[in-house]
Amino acid sequence: MNKLKVLILLLSFSINAQFKNDSIQIQKHTLEIEIFKIKYEGNLYLAIYNNAIDFNSRDRSNDKIYYGIKENVKKGNYIKKIRLNKGIYAVKVYIDKNYNNKFDFNIFGLPKEQYGFSNDAMNLFGAPDFEKALFKLNINKKININLR
């Protein structure tokens, strides 16, 4: 009889624990991204990173990107809403105006195409560090990016 009581007690704890685990879901929030001053029609490449190692890496492969968007855009502004897990993120974006699927530079190493980062973060040479571009997504949020 005592074994039966212990078994029932363990079973009830197990069921309660399962219900509690099911109720703790990953929190998702809406991130609205508005990009201003697109000067030329082209493909917009937007990369969202969730860690400094991948954001700061010179490796441009897609497996470093947490969430990516490629869309054809016109002149003007661009707005996109996406759902992401609660967390810390940073955004890189550029407009590929000649549709060659790469970010082009002139002979002096300066960008030939428009680009931008979350927080409008800038660095003297190259992309800013993750810490300058990061933002916390713990509620629905809107970020603005001004293209250069």
Side-chain angles (χ1 to χ4, degrees), residues 38-80:
I38 299 172
K39 293 180 183 177
Y40 306 100
E41 178 181 314
N43 281 329
L44 172 133
Y45 286 88
L46 186 141
I48 300 175
Y49 298 85
N50 65 351
N51 67 75
I53 294 170
D54 292 339
F55 184 88
N56 296 336
S57 172
R58 293 193 173 269
D59 182 352
R60 307 253 188 267
S61 61
N62 288 338
D63 62 335
K64 300 288 184 191
I65 298 171
Y66 178 77
Y67 187 96
I69 297 171
K70 177 186 175 186
E71 283 187 28
N72 188 269
V73 294
K74 308 281 185 214
K75 289 185 194 180
N77 296 344
Y78 169 88
I79 298 174
K80 186 71 168 188

